[in-house]
Amino acid sequence: MEFENNTLSVEGLPQLEALSFQKLNKEYLWMRLTFMVSLYLLLLGAALLYNFFTEKFAVWLLPSGLSLLLIWFLIAEIVGFKYKGFVLREHDISFKTGWIFFSMTSVPFNRIQHTEVTQGPFERIFDLAKVKVYTAGGASSDIAIVGLSEVDAKQLKEHINLLSSKHA
Amino acid sequence: MPNNELDLSQPQRQSVVGVGVIFIKKLRRAVNVLLSILVIQFGMKADFTSFWLNGAIGLVFLGLLVAAVLTYRNFFFYATEDSFIIEKGVLSKERITVPFERIQTVNVNQNLIQRILGVVGLNIDTAGSSAKELEIAALPKAMAKQIQSFLMESKQAAVDETIVEEEPNSTEKKERKALVRLTLKDLVKVGLTENHLRTAGILFALISGYFWQFQQYFEGYTNEVIENNSNMLNSLITMQSFIALAFILGIGIFSIIQAILKFYGLRFYCDEEGVKLESGLLKRVSYQIPENKIQLIKWSTNPLRRLVGFKTVVVKQASSVELNDKLSIMIPACNELHLNRVLENFFPEQATSDFKTYSAQRWFCYQLVLLFALLPAALLASLGIYETPFFFIAIAWFLIAAPFSWMYAKRMRLESNRDMLQLQRAWVFPQRIYLHYYKLQSVQLKQNVFQKRRGLAHLVLHTAAGSYQMWQMDESEALEIYNYALYKIETAERSWM
């Protein structure tokens, strides 16, 4: 390949933002919501127990504070879900996330060190898994593609491994 | 032994004096642990004539000596066809195999003990992220050099089979000429132009650390004195200003001594093969980074250092974050000429095409002034309601911090040409980073809801030697670099390491 004659004209370059990102599996949203509600119920139980055993000072404070937090997190998760997505191109993989704090990271296949499929307990219930992609650039440069079905996750990992070994 | 051939096919022991080096190392570790126990146990009243205490100390000495001998006897190193092997361990045996291609750098260094005993230590850094210490404590200098070049050559051969033919040439290398050498005068300059605030911090931590350890003795003493002699209170105030003066003087002397210890006889070599640094008075170190392992080059300076025309140049190589400092080469005093030579050497592309400049947007100036000047000043001013002087402190803070923040934001820029990036930071403490596009690992764009409305974004460039941010760019400009960087990485013909 010949790259000597390229100038810094950007019009001809492939534009990432023009490509449509693939939305995540809807199951992922349900998984997150279930996780949050479960955590909320656990904390609420602890708070009620605490109120039961101690003096009745501002009994409403802890449960209502927790409820407000829950509502906020649920809204953030539901709105934020639209912003999450990934795109697999010929030479790289990108992941975007974040409603209030948006972030988009792209990792070229020829910079991938290794990949990993992981599954947490809640993900197992919903038959989901995530693919973690590691580079040599430290933790902040790595990406994790969340909300894939377990089969898809394994397939994606195989695909990435194939491409990254071809590029290496 | 004038011509002792290097034979690594058989397991070898290190120099016999290695026993001494290991012993001192163990002793130092033991003293560190035992001293604090002793101080806690006996306080300052330890009776060093006591038979039991002396006996115990003697026993510890003897134990350490035996341990050192055993460690020495059970330490072997040798090479097979494709890897270097270290076997060690007295009770639990350990065998560390380092494939040649995994070797990152081989460093020869010498601390005070090794210098007295006339040997050197050999350190092998591997590409793995596990920080397993591969160290041979004591070798004759000539042998260490031989092993160093043997390992580097084997590694080259393992990485690239084609180089094997050229090997005879590379063994009789031409004498490298040092680019930078520091004289004693330079070292004094380096010492005096250190970042004194940091030194003050370190010194303060050191002193207060010791003070805290012996606080109870001091406390008893000073209370007694103050109670006995109330006139002392006046002299205490004069004593305070005296202490302050001594502290400032101490910082200066401390900095100079530190600079001399660390950078005495510094030689910095820089050519097509890479960079090499030798320095140190008591502990002589020698680091080298092959050309293809260099990830980026950075210079920084401070107002004092700028007065004497020095820049601190750092050459960084790939490393996990914790090892960052250990694996980069730092030259504290480069002049403009040296810097240009280094840049010409590693970034010939600097001259081949023009740079396009990307600045932080004006909003960044407002943001920094708000965050670092206005907000703290407002807080200080609100304290002014109780104590009037805080009003003046608030005004002073604003007057100092506002222009600083403004200029810092205004002077931040990213420059890009066809092959490389330059990231420039700051006012007062300027720094500049140079790197090739193909050394990037991944790129990231960050944008919060407010930035989205204003069409702004942060750009993060992830390299194997750290992540670097360009703040508050124009969104379309940030995407321009983002897409171009991906294109450059994906079409790169050279490997990033």
Side-chain angles (χ1 to χ4, degrees), chain B residues 393-406:
Chain B
I393 297 175
I395 292 168
W397 175 263
F398 183 79
L399 289 179
I400 294 167
F404 185 91
S405 311
W406 183 273

Side-chain angles (χ1 to χ4, degrees), chain B residues 127-337:
Chain B
S129 51
S130 67
K132 188 161 259 184
E133 191 97 19
L134 289 165
E135 191 185 16
I136 303 175
L139 289 170
K141 194 166 183 180
M143 188 174 173
K145 291 272 177 204
Q146 272 178 321
I147 294 178
Q148 187 181 26
S149 52
F150 167 75
L151 288 177
M152 290 320 276
E153 277 158 28
S154 311
K155 171 219 160 94
Q156 271 301 334
V159 168
D160 192 347
E161 302 289 347
T162 55
I163 291 175
V164 175
E165 296 147 32
E166 296 168 28
E167 221 177 328
N169 275 334
S170 59
T171 42
E172 40 186 286
K173 266 180 220 151
K174 57 180 190 296
E175 196 60 34
R176 283 170 141 191
K177 200 161 166 282
L179 175 65
V180 182
R181 286 161 179 269
L182 295 188
T183 62
L184 208 59
K185 202 174 129 202
D186 291 333
L187 289 178
V188 172
K189 280 191 202 166
V190 168
L192 286 176
T193 58
E194 267 309 325
N195 185 345
H196 291 303
L197 287 175
R198 195 169 52 198
T199 319
I202 295 170
L203 213 59
F204 187 74
L206 213 70
I207 291 171
S208 56
Y210 275 108
F211 183 75
W212 181 80
Q213 259 182 4
F214 301 106
Q215 196 181 17
Q216 33 186 332
Y217 308 107
F218 280 117
E219 235 165 37
Y221 176 71
T222 42
N223 281 344
E224 217 169 275
V225 170
I226 290 169
E227 273 164 26
N228 288 350
N229 197 343
S230 54
N231 284 344
M232 273 297 278
L233 226 66
N234 278 330
S235 50
L236 261 180
I237 295 165
T238 39
M239 212 166 93
Q240 262 174 7
S241 49
F242 177 74
I243 287 173
L245 203 73
F247 190 68
I248 291 170
L249 209 70
I251 289 172
I253 294 167
F254 185 78
S255 299
I256 292 175
I257 291 174
Q258 216 185 16
I260 291 175
L261 283 179
K262 205 168 162 197
F263 302 119
Y264 180 81
L266 181 141
R267 305 258 182 290
F268 174 64
Y269 306 87
C270 166
D271 53 31
E272 320 74 63
E273 287 170 39
V275 291
K276 187 177 163 193
L277 180 90
E278 290 170 355
S279 77
L281 182 64
L282 300 179
K283 189 178 175 188
R284 194 95 186 135
V285 293
S286 152
Y287 294 121
Q288 48 185 331
I289 307 180
E291 192 267 337
N292 58 334
K293 292 280 185 292
I294 296 172
Q295 298 299 315
L296 58 94
I297 290 178
K298 167 180 154 184
W299 66 252
S300 59
T301 186
N302 63 42
L304 284 176
R305 211 159 261 190
R306 202 141 65 157
L307 275 181
V308 295
F310 281 164
K311 278 174 176 155
T312 307
V313 173
V314 180
V315 181
K316 288 196 167 194
Q317 68 173 324
S319 68
S320 48
V321 183
E322 320 84 74
L323 300 170
N324 225 345
D325 278 341
K326 199 182 144 205
L327 287 175
S328 53
I329 280 184
M330 202 246 284
I331 312 106
C334 277
N335 60 32
E336 211 59 43
L337 202 78

Side-chain angles (χ1 to χ4, degrees), chain A residues 106-126:
Chain A
S106 297
V107 180
F109 290 134
N110 56 358
R111 293 292 179 276
I112 290 174
Q113 295 286 311
H114 72 281
T115 51
E116 198 177 278
V117 175
T118 64
Q119 195 178 39
F122 277 87
E123 285 173 312
R124 192 162 300 144
I125 295 168
F126 284 84

Side-chain angles (χ1 to χ4, degrees), chain B residues 104 130 168 244 268 295 307 352 363 382 423 473:
Chain B
Q104 181 100 310
S130 67
F268 174 64
Q295 298 299 315
L307 275 181
T352 55
W363 176 250
S382 66
L423 186 62
M473 294 178 79

